[in-house]
Amino acid sequence: MAHTSEPAPPPASPAAAEAADGRSRGWRIGRLAGVPIYLGRSWPIIAVVIVATFGPQLAYRRPDLGSTVYAIALGYALLLLVSVLAHEAAHALMALRFGHRVDRVVADLWGGHTAYQADDNTPGRSAAVAVVGPLANAALAAIAYLVWPLTEPGGIASLLVGAMLYANGFVALFNLLPGLPLDGGWLVDSLVWRITGNRTTGLLVAGWSGRVLTVLVVLWWLVLPLARGARPSLFTLLWAVLIGGFLWQGASASIRTAKVRRLVDTVRVRDVVRPAVIVPERTTVAQALETPAPGAFLLVAGPDGRPHSLITGAVADVPEHARATTPVSAAAMVLPDPAVAPGPDGGWLDGPVTELLSRMQSAGAGAIAVEVVPGQWGVVLEEDVVQAISVR
């Protein structure tokens, strides 16, 4: 269970966005402060695994319960789902508190994840979003600990509350282990980021910590018992494979992302900014085509002079007889507000292009307008950035 950033270009309308999310993320089961909550299509797999492994174990220990053990195992799977959702809800609410845009909360085969966008993230904020997830599970474990003595010993309620206690205690502690993709890995990332001032270094260190952690977990869970002559159960084997695969895959993905970020960090904003000429909203297509701007982009600006649209190649497709009456906005791509960078800030033109790429992704835009000097704007296109990276 972790918090992630997984930007994707939004569809043209809220209805289309909802439909697309429903197809790609799973079943929408509710909302939290406006954030959609999904039950991933892979989640039933983990429910079946829990019932198939926990059920027989419970039947062996409590033969008097008969086939009821499978209903109890299913109840345990549902309680575990509640624990996952509480964990991810804590991530989401903390991210919202910092003003981040939270895209979704998902419970799936690997536990769950919360995807959010944070243009103004800091090491402290990242750490706060990470740590509240395990704290939510610790709180659930504490509640179960207080309720457990109130249940009938050996009863179904006692079994479920006991399972809730140990499961949430384990999830809280396990997620604090120092390696991505666990929340403890994000704490490592934040710490290294804070010390070095470089987010990419933090991500890389936390990713490698995750790989080391994966090896240690597999050794502790499988290899050490085998060395002692113990034979792991099917339950232990399945969970070791699932958790080990999840950890290694997540850690490797983080390392790949860090390497890409390191490459992007070598590209300066100045290297990819291309000049742009601003035209007012009342400009017609004919006037725009007559604007002397060889090799430059055309931006459409509002009364405040701030560009809000980028004129695309579609302007040339407007029939000649309609160009004098067609507003240029008809052939312009609207730049979402987060994709329009504020005015110059010191030597940011000589800084890495990573921040602008992040803005593009968070806005679902393939272009971003940047103010080179007061009153003069340029455009950075995502494909330009990719090209600049490949050249190096």
Side-chain angles (χ1 to χ4, degrees), residues 53 62 85 91 123 168-169 229 263 283 322 381:
T53 54
R62 294 290 306 275
L85 293 176
H91 286 319
N168 277 279
L263 193 57
T283 304
L381 290 182

PDB file of all heavy atoms in Angstrom, residues 53 62 85 91 123 168-169 229 263 283 322 381:
ATOM      1  N   THR A  53      -6.755 -20.084   1.557  1.00  0.00           N
ATOM      2  CA  THR A  53      -5.639 -20.405   2.450  1.00  0.00           C
ATOM      3  C   THR A  53      -6.022 -20.283   3.927  1.00  0.00           C
ATOM      4  O   THR A  53      -5.681 -21.143   4.736  1.00  0.00           O
ATOM      5  CB  THR A  53      -4.437 -19.479   2.169  1.00  0.00           C
ATOM      6  OG1 THR A  53      -4.857 -18.111   2.242  1.00  0.00           O
ATOM      7  CG2 THR A  53      -3.867 -19.733   0.787  1.00  0.00           C
ATOM      8  N   ARG A  62     -10.178 -25.354  14.146  1.00  0.00           N
ATOM      9  CA  ARG A  62     -11.535 -25.361  14.718  1.00  0.00           C
ATOM     10  C   ARG A  62     -12.442 -26.258  13.890  1.00  0.00           C
ATOM     11  O   ARG A  62     -13.317 -25.788  13.146  1.00  0.00           O
ATOM     12  CB  ARG A  62     -12.095 -23.937  14.746  1.00  0.00           C
ATOM     13  CG  ARG A  62     -11.368 -22.983  15.694  1.00  0.00           C
ATOM     14  CD  ARG A  62     -11.638 -23.368  17.151  1.00  0.00           C
ATOM     15  NE  ARG A  62     -13.040 -23.454  17.431  1.00  0.00           N
ATOM     16  CZ  ARG A  62     -13.799 -22.401  17.761  1.00  0.00           C
ATOM     17  NH1 ARG A  62     -13.241 -21.197  17.882  1.00  0.00           N
ATOM     18  NH2 ARG A  62     -15.075 -22.548  18.018  1.00  0.00           N
ATOM     19  N   LEU A  85      -8.735   0.350   2.716  1.00  0.00           N
ATOM     20  CA  LEU A  85      -9.401   1.614   2.386  1.00  0.00           C
ATOM     21  C   LEU A  85      -9.131   2.678   3.442  1.00  0.00           C
ATOM     22  O   LEU A  85      -8.965   3.856   3.117  1.00  0.00           O
ATOM     23  CB  LEU A  85     -10.905   1.384   2.218  1.00  0.00           C
ATOM     24  CG  LEU A  85     -11.302   0.528   1.001  1.00  0.00           C
ATOM     25  CD1 LEU A  85     -12.808   0.286   0.992  1.00  0.00           C
ATOM     26  CD2 LEU A  85     -10.863   1.205  -0.300  1.00  0.00           C
ATOM     27  N   HIS A  91      -3.997   8.540   3.458  1.00  0.00           N
ATOM     28  CA  HIS A  91      -3.104   9.171   2.477  1.00  0.00           C
ATOM     29  C   HIS A  91      -3.839  10.290   1.739  1.00  0.00           C
ATOM     30  O   HIS A  91      -3.316  11.398   1.577  1.00  0.00           O
ATOM     31  CB  HIS A  91      -2.632   8.145   1.446  1.00  0.00           C
ATOM     32  CG  HIS A  91      -1.606   7.179   1.953  1.00  0.00           C
ATOM     33  ND1 HIS A  91      -0.567   7.544   2.778  1.00  0.00           N
ATOM     34  CD2 HIS A  91      -1.449   5.847   1.718  1.00  0.00           C
ATOM     35  CE1 HIS A  91       0.189   6.495   3.034  1.00  0.00           C
ATOM     36  NE2 HIS A  91      -0.326   5.440   2.411  1.00  0.00           N
ATOM     37  N   PRO A 123       9.787  17.660   0.996  1.00  0.00           N
ATOM     38  CA  PRO A 123      10.094  16.433   1.734  1.00  0.00           C
ATOM     39  C   PRO A 123       9.194  16.239   2.943  1.00  0.00           C
ATOM     40  O   PRO A 123       8.743  15.112   3.209  1.00  0.00           O
ATOM     41  CB  PRO A 123      11.557  16.648   2.156  1.00  0.00           C
ATOM     42  CG  PRO A 123      12.118  17.561   1.129  1.00  0.00           C
ATOM     43  CD  PRO A 123      10.991  18.486   0.767  1.00  0.00           C
ATOM     44  N   ASN A 168      -3.928  -5.608  11.077  1.00  0.00           N
ATOM     45  CA  ASN A 168      -3.626  -4.180  11.039  1.00  0.00           C
ATOM     46  C   ASN A 168      -2.301  -3.866  11.718  1.00  0.00           C
ATOM     47  O   ASN A 168      -1.574  -2.966  11.279  1.00  0.00           O
ATOM     48  CB  ASN A 168      -4.762  -3.375  11.685  1.00  0.00           C
ATOM     49  CG  ASN A 168      -5.904  -3.127  10.727  1.00  0.00           C
ATOM     50  OD1 ASN A 168      -5.859  -2.228   9.905  1.00  0.00           O
ATOM     51  ND2 ASN A 168      -6.938  -3.952  10.829  1.00  0.00           N
ATOM     52  N   GLY A 169      -1.985  -4.595  12.777  1.00  0.00           N
ATOM     53  CA  GLY A 169      -0.684  -4.404  13.403  1.00  0.00           C
ATOM     54  C   GLY A 169       0.437  -4.756  12.444  1.00  0.00           C
ATOM     55  O   GLY A 169       1.442  -4.034  12.332  1.00  0.00           O
ATOM     56  N   GLY A 229      15.002 -26.568   8.846  1.00  0.00           N
ATOM     57  CA  GLY A 229      14.320 -27.833   8.668  1.00  0.00           C
ATOM     58  C   GLY A 229      12.812 -27.744   8.685  1.00  0.00           C
ATOM     59  O   GLY A 229      12.128 -28.763   8.598  1.00  0.00           O
ATOM     60  N   LEU A 263      17.923  11.655 -16.105  1.00  0.00           N
ATOM     61  CA  LEU A 263      18.174  12.058 -17.478  1.00  0.00           C
ATOM     62  C   LEU A 263      17.471  13.373 -17.790  1.00  0.00           C
ATOM     63  O   LEU A 263      18.043  14.275 -18.417  1.00  0.00           O
ATOM     64  CB  LEU A 263      17.694  10.958 -18.428  1.00  0.00           C
ATOM     65  CG  LEU A 263      18.131  11.053 -19.888  1.00  0.00           C
ATOM     66  CD1 LEU A 263      19.647  11.099 -19.994  1.00  0.00           C
ATOM     67  CD2 LEU A 263      17.570   9.885 -20.676  1.00  0.00           C
ATOM     68  N   THR A 283      -8.616  37.954 -32.178  1.00  0.00           N
ATOM     69  CA  THR A 283      -7.918  37.702 -33.443  1.00  0.00           C
ATOM     70  C   THR A 283      -8.648  36.656 -34.266  1.00  0.00           C
ATOM     71  O   THR A 283      -9.127  35.641 -33.742  1.00  0.00           O
ATOM     72  CB  THR A 283      -6.483  37.221 -33.174  1.00  0.00           C
ATOM     73  OG1 THR A 283      -5.814  38.186 -32.374  1.00  0.00           O
ATOM     74  CG2 THR A 283      -5.716  37.017 -34.476  1.00  0.00           C
ATOM     75  N   ALA A 322     -13.787  31.268 -44.757  1.00  0.00           N
ATOM     76  CA  ALA A 322     -14.265  31.448 -43.378  1.00  0.00           C
ATOM     77  C   ALA A 322     -13.195  32.004 -42.453  1.00  0.00           C
ATOM     78  O   ALA A 322     -13.475  32.296 -41.283  1.00  0.00           O
ATOM     79  CB  ALA A 322     -14.772  30.110 -42.843  1.00  0.00           C
ATOM     80  N   LEU A 381       7.068  21.925 -25.551  1.00  0.00           N
ATOM     81  CA  LEU A 381       6.247  20.775 -25.939  1.00  0.00           C
ATOM     82  C   LEU A 381       6.865  19.507 -25.376  1.00  0.00           C
ATOM     83  O   LEU A 381       8.084  19.374 -25.323  1.00  0.00           O
ATOM     84  CB  LEU A 381       6.155  20.655 -27.463  1.00  0.00           C
ATOM     85  CG  LEU A 381       5.329  21.717 -28.196  1.00  0.00           C
ATOM     86  CD1 LEU A 381       5.315  21.407 -29.677  1.00  0.00           C
ATOM     87  CD2 LEU A 381       3.911  21.764 -27.664  1.00  0.00           C
TER      88      LEU A 381
END
